[in-house]
Amino acid sequence: MLVVLGLWWTLTSGCGLIDPNRFPDPAETWAALQQILTPGYAGGTLVQQAWASTRLVLLGFAVAVTTGVPLGALMGLSRRAESLLNPAFLLLRPIPPLAWIPLAVVWLGLGDGAKILVIWIAAFVPCVINTWTGVRGADLTLVAAARVHGADPVRVLLEVILPGALPMIFTGLRLSLQACWTTLVAAELVGTLYGLGRVLDSAYRDVNPAMILVAMVTVGLLGAATTRLIAALERGLTPWQV
Amino acid sequence: MAGLKRRPGRYESWGLSLLGLGLFLGVWQVLAVGMTAGPQVLPAPLAVIETTRHLLVAPFAGHTLLGHLAASLQRFGLGFGLAALVGVPLGLAMGRFGWLDDLVTPLFEALRFVAPLAWVPFAVLWFGTGIGGPVMVIFAGAFPPCLVNAYRGARQVEARLVEAAQTLGAGPLRIIVEVLLPGALPAIVAGLRVAAGLAWQSLIGAELIVAGAGLGFVMVQAQSSLSPQIVMAAMAAVGLVGMLIDIALRRAEWAIRRQWDQLA
Amino acid sequence: MKDIRFDGVGKTFTTRGGAACVVLHDIDLTVQAREFVAVVGPSGSGKTTLLRMAAGLDQPSAGEVRVGGRRVTGPGPDRAVVFQHFALFPWKTVRQNIAFGLRCQGASRARQTVAVDRYLALMGLDDAADRYPSQLSGGMQQRVALARSYAIEPDVLLMDEPFGALDAQTRTVMQEELIRLSRQEPRTVLFITHAVEEAVYLADRVVVLAHDPGRLREIVDIGPTRAAEAWNTRPIHEVMELPSFTHLRTRLWRLLRDQIRPGN
Ligand SMILES: Nc1ncnc2c1ncn2[C@@H]1O[C@H](COP(=O)(O)OP(=O)(O)OP(=O)(O)O)[C@@H](O)[C@H]1O
Ligand SMILES: [Mg+2]
C-alpha cells in the first residue's frame, strides 16, 4: 500500500515522469476528493452521486433477482417450460446488455427507468442461467430420498432442490452484480443527470484527471463492497459449504 | 413438480420450442402493431429484417453495416489480442515466480472491481477516441480472465513436472513455455472464451460513448435520430457476431480439452 | 564422475501452525563416484527429503550437500532425478521427452537425434518413439523416464522409488535392465526404495535410515559379495536364491523391523 503510494508520488510529482494532464498526482487527487465531498461536483456531493448510482444498481439487481431466479427455477424444474422459453432466451442472450442502452433510451428517455431496465437485462441473464443449471443439476437420489420420507413436492423444492442449487445461484448473483455495475457506468456515461457515471463524464469533459480517478476508485470500492455483501449473505445461507 | 421426473418426448420438446419461438415473435409483432406510436417505438420483427437488409447496402452514419462491423472487429481483435498477449504470459509468470505474484496480485485485486467502462475517460485521455481509446477499454474488459485463468492453470500444473524440467536443466523461460503453457492450456482457452465475451461487450460500451464508426456508434446515432429499427438491426448484428465468436472459441475449447484429456 | 557428500545434513520443516518438525538429523554419508547406494527406511523417515536436497529441490537446514566437491544450491543437469511417478511431460512424445534435457543444454539437432535414438534402442522403445506417455504401459513410461535422465549424461542419478508404481513382473524386468544399464554406463547413483530385495540386488551399499528423527542407522556393504559371486551377470531369480543374498536380505529386514517396532 505504502509502496504504491510512494511509487505514485515519485512517478507524478516526484520526478514528473507522468504528465499531470494524463494522470493526477496524489495532491491533486486529494484536492479533488475534498472538492467533491463538500461543495460537490457535477451537481452533487460524492455521497449523493454514489447513492444515486448505488440505488439504481440495487433496484435493478433486486428486480432481476426476483424475476430471474424463479424463472430459472421453473426452467430447471420443468422440461416443458425449458423447451417453451429456451428459444426466446437463445435469441436474446447473445446481445450484450450494454447494447440495450440505446433502445432503452429511445423507449424511456434519459431518466432512471431506462437505466433500471438495462441493469435488469444485464443482471437477469446470469440469474436465470445459474439458477437453471443449479436446479437442473439437483441430486436425484436426494430428491428420491426426500420423497421416500414422505415429503410433498413443495417441501422437496424448498428443502432439497433449492438448497442444493444455492451455491450455483450465488455464483449467478455475483456475476449479476458485476454486470450491474458495468452496465450502470456505461448507461450513466451515455447520458444522465446524476450519478458516478455523470461525475466521470463531466470530469472527462473538464479534463480533470484527478476527479476521474476519484470517481473510478469510488465505483471500484462500491463494487467491492456490494460483492462482499453477497459473499457474506452466501456464507450465512450456505453454512455447510467450506 | 411432475415435470421433474417425466421428460416430454422429443417431438413434444421440439413442438414446444417452436411454439415458444412463435409466441415470442408473435407477441413482439402484436406489441409492435398495437402500440400507439407505431414503428417509432417498437419496430416489428419484419421491419428489423428489412432495415438490416437495407443497411447492408446503404450507408448509415458514414458506412454500411459491414463497414461498421469491420471497424468494430478491428478494435475487438486488437484489444482482445493485446489482452491475451499480455495477460496469459503474465499469469503464467505469476504462477511461477512468487515475487511477481506478490507484486501484481494486490494491484490486480484493487483494480478488479473497477468496471471496464469506467476506464473510458482515462482511455480517451491517454489514447484518443480513434483506435487507441476503445482498444484500451476492451483490454480492460478482457485482461482479467486471461490473467486469472493462466495463473490458475499454471498453479494447477503438477509441481513434479516443473521439478523434472528443472533437474533436466530447463531455465525459467523454458519452464513457462514448455511446461506451464501446455499444462495450463485448457484453463487458458476457457479464459480466452470468457475474455472474448467481455471484450465484445466492452467494445460495444466503448463505441456507445466514444467512436466515429462501429456497431455501437451506429446504435447511438440511431438512438439520437430516434430510429429504433436501426438500433435493433445493429443489436441483431452485435448479437450474431458475438455468438459466432463464442461458438468458435467454444469449439476450440472442446477440441483442446478432449485432446488433453486423452493425454492425461 | 562426481561423488555426493552429505556433511552433517539436517532438515527441519516448520508446519503451518509454526511447530518445527525435525525430519532429518545429522546425516553424514558419502556416495563415491560410480557407486550405487540404496537407501531404505520406514515411511516418513526422510528418504525423499534426502534425495531432494541432493537434487537441489530442497535446501538443508543444517550442514551441506556437496556434489563433485561443489556445494548444491539448486537443481542442475549434472544431477538427474527419476521420480516415483515418472513425471513425464504428457504433451510431449516419447522422443520429445527424451530430447528435452538435451535441448535445454542447447545440443545440436543432430546430436539430439543420435542420443535419443541410442537410448530408444537401449531401452527397447523404438516402436513407441512417437507415442504419448498416456499411450504407454507403466513399465514403458518408467523406461522413458530413465532414458530421459540418462540422455543428459549426468554425473549423478537420483532415483526416488522409481519402480514403486510398477507391478511385480515389470519391476523385476526393470531391475535387471537397470543393472545392465549401469554396467554399460556406470554413474553415481542414489537410489531410494521400500523394497529390501531391490536394494540388495542393485546396490553396492545399502543405507538404513531410522525414524523420527530420520538419521543413519546402519550401512550394509553388498559390493564385495556382489563382485565375488558375479551377481551383475546373472539373472535376478538366480541371484535371489543364493544363500549370501538371503542372508543379506534377512539382515536388512531385521534392521528395518527394529525401526518400525522399536524395542523388539
Ligand atoms: N514440504 C514439507 N513440509 C512439511 N513437512 C514435510 C514436507 N515434506 C516432507 N515433510 C515431512 O517430512 C517427513 C519425511 O518425508 P519424506 O517424504 O522425506 O519421507 P519418505 O521417507 O520419503 O517417506 P515415504 O517412504 O513414504 O516416501 C514426513 O513426515 C513429511 O510429513
Ligand atoms: Mg518418499
Side-chain angles (χ1 to χ4, degrees):
Chain A
M1 192 65 211
L2 279 177
V3 177
V4 172
L5 274 181
L7 201 70
W8 179 19
W9 187 83
T10 328
L11 283 178
T12 48
S13 24
C15 47
L17 268 180
I18 297 178
D19 181 358
N21 281 328
R22 298 189 157 236
F23 199 79
D25 64 25
E28 282 177 43
T29 312
W30 182 246
L33 184 64
Q34 297 286 323
Q35 185 199 343
I36 195 172
L37 274 179
T38 41
Y41 183 81
T45 64
L46 185 63
V47 176
Q48 286 169 334
Q49 308 275 28
W51 171 241
S53 294
T54 313
R55 196 177 60 95
L56 288 180
V57 164
L58 292 182
L59 269 173
F61 182 65
V63 178
V65 173
T66 45
T67 50
V69 171
L71 189 69
L74 181 67
M75 287 169 79
L77 284 175
S78 154
R79 304 264 168 188
R80 287 195 177 78
E82 186 180 336
S83 304
L84 196 66
L85 294 173
N86 210 5
F89 215 69
L90 281 181
L91 278 179
L92 295 179
R93 197 167 84 163
I95 300 173
L98 299 186
W100 287 92
I101 293 175
L103 201 60
V105 173
V106 172
W107 283 346
L108 299 172
L110 288 177
D112 286 353
K115 290 184 190 67
I116 293 180
L117 175 66
V118 178
I119 292 173
W120 171 67
I121 292 173
F124 183 68
V125 173
C127 275
V128 173
I129 293 186
N130 283 279
T131 311
W132 180 8
T133 326
V135 169
R136 199 172 41 181
D139 190 342
L140 288 182
T141 41
L142 279 185
V143 173
R147 284 247 170 124
V148 169
H149 283 92
D152 59 81
V154 177
R155 190 176 286 274
V156 171
L157 175 63
L158 288 182
E159 294 193 18
V160 180
I161 297 180
L162 276 187
L166 264 186
M168 245 352 245
I169 294 177
F170 269 104
T171 307
L173 294 191
R174 267 201 301 274
L175 289 173
S176 280
L177 199 60
Q178 236 160 14
C180 281
W181 280 107
T182 304
T183 317
L184 174 89
V185 171
E188 289 189 341
L189 278 171
V190 169
T192 190
L193 301 176
Y194 280 116
L196 291 168
R198 163 82 187 190
V199 176
L200 272 175
D201 193 49
S202 306
Y204 154 62
R205 283 177 208 288
D206 298 351
V207 195
N208 185 347
M211 197 58 82
I212 297 179
L213 189 66
V214 169
M216 272 179 74
V217 170
T218 314
V219 171
L221 286 180
L222 286 173
T226 42
T227 307
R228 287 277 147 78
L229 218 63
I230 292 278
L233 198 65
E234 176 173 13
R235 268 199 305 282
L237 283 179
T238 59
W240 60 88
Q241 281 209 303
V242 278
Chain B
M1 222 25 234
L4 189 71
K5 273 286 169 63
R6 224 186 314 128
R7 301 182 61 153
R10 196 171 192 181
Y11 293 108
E12 192 187 347
S13 174
W14 272 101
L16 280 170
S17 290
L18 270 179
L19 183 67
L21 187 64
L23 228 75
F24 173 72
L25 293 175
V27 168
W28 179 2
Q29 178 80 34
V30 167
L31 274 181
V33 172
M35 273 201 178
T36 41
Q40 204 60 320
V41 171
L42 180 68
L46 282 176
V48 173
I49 293 176
E50 190 48 47
T51 312
T52 313
R53 283 206 358 226
H54 183 66
L55 284 176
L56 284 177
V57 285
F60 174 82
H63 303 274
T64 63
L65 196 57
L66 286 180
H68 285 295
L69 176 63
S72 289
L73 279 178
Q74 189 195 4
R75 293 191 188 111
F76 169 80
L78 272 174
F80 177 61
L82 215 59
L85 241 50
V86 178
V88 170
L90 186 61
L92 290 177
M94 280 165 63
R96 182 80 198 94
F97 304 113
W99 59 267
L100 195 63
D101 192 1
D102 294 341
L103 193 74
V104 177
T105 300
L107 205 67
F108 184 74
E109 280 293 311
L111 292 179
R112 198 165 63 111
F113 286 104
V114 178
L117 268 297
W119 285 101
V120 166
F122 271 137
V124 173
L125 206 59
W126 294 340
F127 300 109
T129 57
I131 296 272
V135 164
M136 186 190 145
V137 177
I138 300 167
F139 179 89
F143 182 71
C146 292
L147 180 99
V148 169
N149 275 46
Y151 173 73
R152 291 210 184 122
R155 295 306 294 252
Q156 274 166 12
V157 172
E158 289 173 79
R160 286 184 302 128
L161 293 182
V162 175
E163 289 179 346
Q166 276 183 313
T167 57
L168 289 164
L173 188 65
R174 189 181 292 273
I175 289 181
I176 287 178
V177 174
E178 292 195 38
V179 182
L180 296 185
L181 177 64
L185 201 58
I188 291 174
V189 180
L192 289 184
R193 187 164 73 81
V194 175
L198 289 171
W200 189 242
Q201 147 118 325
S202 314
L203 165 87
I204 300 305
E207 285 182 348
L208 287 180
I209 302 158
V210 286
L215 293 174
F217 179 67
V218 171
M219 287 187 206
V220 254
Q221 290 298 309
Q223 170 207 313
S224 32
S225 65
L226 290 180
S227 15
Q229 68 276 21
I230 297 184
V231 174
M232 289 183 100
M235 280 171 74
V238 167
L240 193 69
V241 174
M243 196 165 75
L244 290 179
I245 294 173
D246 190 61
I247 289 176
L249 283 170
R250 204 181 281 259
R251 282 272 159 82
E253 189 184 340
W254 276 341
I256 286 176
R257 197 164 285 276
R258 239 210 347 263
Q259 208 163 1
W260 251 231
D261 282 349
Q262 269 171 16
L263 290 181
Chain C
M1 213 54 43
K2 296 176 178 172
D3 62 346
I4 314 170
R5 288 178 63 102
F6 295 88
D7 274 329
V9 169
K11 179 73 183 174
T12 308
F13 284 111
T14 19
T15 54
R16 212 173 280 167
C21 161
V22 183
V23 172
L24 284 171
H25 177 70
D26 198 22
I27 304 279
D28 285 307
L29 173 69
T30 304
V31 183
Q32 304 294 346
R34 284 174 221 275
E35 192 186 20
F36 195 124
V37 168
V39 180
V40 295
S43 189
S45 57
K47 306 183 293 293
T48 299
T49 308
L50 192 71
L51 179 126
R52 288 175 60 85
M53 288 190 296
L57 294 170
D58 277 337
Q59 298 303 320
S61 347
E64 58 181 21
V65 186
R66 288 177 176 272
V67 168
R70 293 262 306 266
R71 188 177 171 165
V72 173
T73 51
D78 57 333
R79 288 152 287 139
V81 181
V82 181
F83 296 86
Q84 177 172 3
H85 293 281
F86 324 137
L88 298 174
F89 303 115
W91 41 82
K92 289 183 188 291
T93 62
V94 167
R95 184 176 280 284
Q96 290 166 338
N97 262 290
I98 299 178
F100 183 82
L102 294 163
R103 289 189 31 239
C104 292
Q105 296 172 1
S108 71
R109 221 156 239 284
R111 225 192 91 204
Q112 286 176 33
T113 317
V114 171
V116 171
D117 285 343
R118 189 166 107 77
Y119 282 101
L120 282 172
L122 211 60
M123 288 291 179
L125 287 165
D126 300 276
D127 298 336
D130 296 312
R131 287 206 245 157
Y132 288 95
S134 60
Q135 300 166 323
L136 304 177
S137 69
M140 287 164 96
Q141 290 187 37
Q142 191 52 276
R143 274 172 233 247
V144 179
L146 276 177
R148 184 176 67 175
S149 295
Y150 267 93
I152 58 173
E153 313 210 324
D155 298 294
V156 169
L157 271 162
L158 305 166
M159 308 197 198
D160 189 4
E161 302 192 38
F163 307 144
L166 303 179
D167 62 87
Q169 280 86 19
T170 318
R171 202 176 166 131
T172 318
V173 174
M174 288 305 299
Q175 287 162 354
E176 279 181 326
E177 220 134 286
L178 186 58
I179 285 283
R180 188 167 56 84
L181 203 60
S182 41
R183 221 174 41 222
Q184 284 182 7
E185 304 196 6
R187 309 254 175 228
T188 311
V189 181
L190 185 65
F191 188 99
I192 310 280
T193 178
H194 263 123
V196 169
E197 281 99 341
E198 184 169 86
V200 177
Y201 176 66
L202 293 171
D204 298 315
R205 283 190 296 156
V206 179
V207 174
V208 183
L209 287 189
H211 197 13
D212 222 8
R215 66 214 121 91
L216 280 192
R217 172 67 210 275
E218 184 126 357
I219 299 180
V220 178
D221 222 345
I222 316 273
T225 324
R226 164 192 307 283
E229 301 182 0
W231 286 5
N232 281 0
T233 58
R234 302 160 79 162
I236 187 165
H237 58 85
E238 204 179 304
V239 175
M240 285 196 177
E241 276 160 17
L242 296 172
S244 53
F245 184 95
T246 27
H247 175 75
L248 283 164
R249 185 185 61 188
T250 314
R251 184 163 159 224
L252 276 164
W253 256 349
R254 291 236 167 84
L255 283 168
L256 260 182
R257 197 192 51 199
D258 292 350
Q259 296 313 310
I260 296 162
R261 281 186 290 164
N264 212 356

